């Protein structure tokens, strides 16, 4: 069974600092890895999708890396802003379904 | 674009009542999923479908049934609601599960069973 772990569970940083969010998974036979953002009481918004053959993916201030052999992905958010405060979830796609980590709750202090 | 739409957004049920949650997607996606999200437990897969007319069990299927009679719709049924089914339910869809598939989620249904 695929196990997905996200560390840390919570993170508080001052505005302008770079964020580093970690995701690890136990079964390296994945198709893709996807990062989501979830605001309180809301649904999940897709941020980045990394295919298993890719090493990284970038969108604006967001950069996600993937090391499939070691079962790790990292989401970097540059120059954080208060609007980046949310819970960030990673999900790995194997056997036709997504397996989620518990998320990292980020607070960016103004 | 509507994307993935869930109906209803909120519902309160009494123990033993039944209800159906509707998920509709307008992206012509093959795969659809139902998840529940509980504090401290993350998102857990209830049931999923890899195409019209197909369904399969996920991690926590007990107490739920699903149907996918039309490609765009995926229904989640609770036959006899229990307080343990109090949760936030999310529907998702994707083109597939191999290359270049991105999952899109609905806004959720907050269900309380009293």
């Amino acid at each position: 069974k695929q196990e997905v772990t996200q560390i840390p569970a919570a993170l508080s940083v001052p505005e302008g600092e770079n964020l580093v969010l970690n995701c690890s998974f136990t079964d390296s036979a994945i198709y893709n890895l996807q990062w989501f953002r979830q605001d309180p009481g809301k649904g999940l918004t897709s941020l980045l999708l990394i295919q298993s053959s890719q090493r990284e993916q970038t969108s604006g201030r967001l950069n996600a890396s993937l090391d499939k052999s070691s079962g790790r992905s990292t989401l970097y958010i540059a120059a954080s802003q208060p609007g980046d405060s949310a819970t960030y979830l990673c999900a790995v796609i194997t056997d036709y379904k997504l397996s989620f980590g518990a998320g990292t709750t980020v607070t960016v202090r103004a | 674009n509507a994307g993935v739409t869930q109906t209803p957004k909120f519902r309160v049920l009494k123990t033993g009542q039944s209800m159906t949650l509707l998920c509709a997607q307008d992206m012509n996606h093959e795969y659809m999923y139902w998840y529940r999200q509980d504090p401290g437990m993350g998102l857990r897969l209830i049931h999923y479908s890899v195409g019209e007319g197909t369904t399969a069990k996920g991690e926590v299927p007990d107490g739920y049934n699903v149907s996918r009679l039309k490609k765009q719709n995926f229904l989640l049924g609770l036959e006899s609601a229990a307080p343990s089914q109090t949760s936030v339910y999310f529907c998702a869809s994707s083109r597939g599960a191999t290359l270049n598939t991105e999952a899109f989620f609905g806004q959720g249904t907050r269900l309380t069973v009293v």
Side-chain angles (χ1 to χ4, degrees):
Chain A
K1 180 189 172 188
Q2 179 73 264
E3 301 285 346
V4 182
T5 303
Q6 291 188 246
I7 294 173
L11 188 59
S12 178
V13 299
E15 184 176 2
E17 192 165 301
N18 296 332
L19 289 164
V20 180
L21 309 179
N22 298 300
C23 173
S24 62
F25 47 94
T26 55
D27 184 353
S28 62
I30 66 171
Y31 291 126
N32 300 316
L33 185 144
Q34 193 169 354
W35 282 94
F36 294 88
R37 169 186 172 136
Q38 186 176 29
D39 294 293
K42 303 294 185 182
L44 281 69
T45 301
S46 178
L47 296 174
L48 290 168
L49 174 75
I50 310 177
Q51 296 179 28
S52 61
S53 59
Q54 295 178 314
R55 298 285 290 183
E56 66 178 306
Q57 190 70 258
T58 298
S59 176
R61 294 185 294 112
L62 276 61
N63 174 275
S65 65
L66 174 63
D67 184 343
K68 203 172 79 162
S69 61
S70 67
R72 295 179 183 178
S73 177
T74 302
L75 178 66
Y76 301 90
I77 303 177
S80 61
Q81 304 167 0
D84 293 328
S85 297
T87 297
Y88 292 83
L89 298 161
C90 76
V92 296
I93 303 168
T94 54
D95 297 332
Y96 310 109
K97 55 186 180 285
L98 293 86
S99 299
F100 282 86
T104 296
T105 299
V106 171
T107 302
V108 181
R109 308 185 303 271
Chain B
N1 291 337
V4 179
T5 303
Q6 292 182 229
T7 309
K9 291 185 171 45
F10 302 93
R11 186 73 185 267
V12 178
L13 282 180
K14 293 183 178 179
T15 298
Q17 287 185 320
S18 63
M19 77 164 293
T20 300
L21 281 67
L22 171 63
C23 177
Q25 52 95 4
D26 62 2
M27 297 172 281
N28 200 35
H29 284 169
E30 290 293 333
Y31 290 21
M32 296 188 74
Y33 310 86
W34 277 107
Y35 285 86
R36 60 178 288 173
Q37 186 176 36
D38 302 290
M41 303 194 74
L43 281 114
R44 293 179 292 168
L45 182 64
I46 305 171
H47 285 281
Y48 64 99
S49 168
V50 299
E52 181 179 311
T54 75
T55 63
K57 294 180 180 180
E59 301 172 62
V60 289
D62 294 342
Y64 305 96
N65 57 76
V66 288
S67 65
R68 184 108 181 259
L69 299 179
K70 294 183 178 181
K71 186 177 184 179
Q72 64 267 32
N73 295 336
F74 195 29
L75 278 63
L76 177 70
L78 285 72
E79 295 176 343
S80 179
S84 62
Q85 294 178 305
T86 294
S87 187
V88 181
Y89 292 85
F90 286 102
C91 176
S93 71
S94 71
R95 196 185 313 161
T98 55
L99 295 178
N100 196 26
T101 176
E102 184 175 7
F104 296 87
F105 279 73
Q107 288 302 297
T109 296
R110 188 172 297 273
L111 175 66
T112 301
V113 182
V114 298

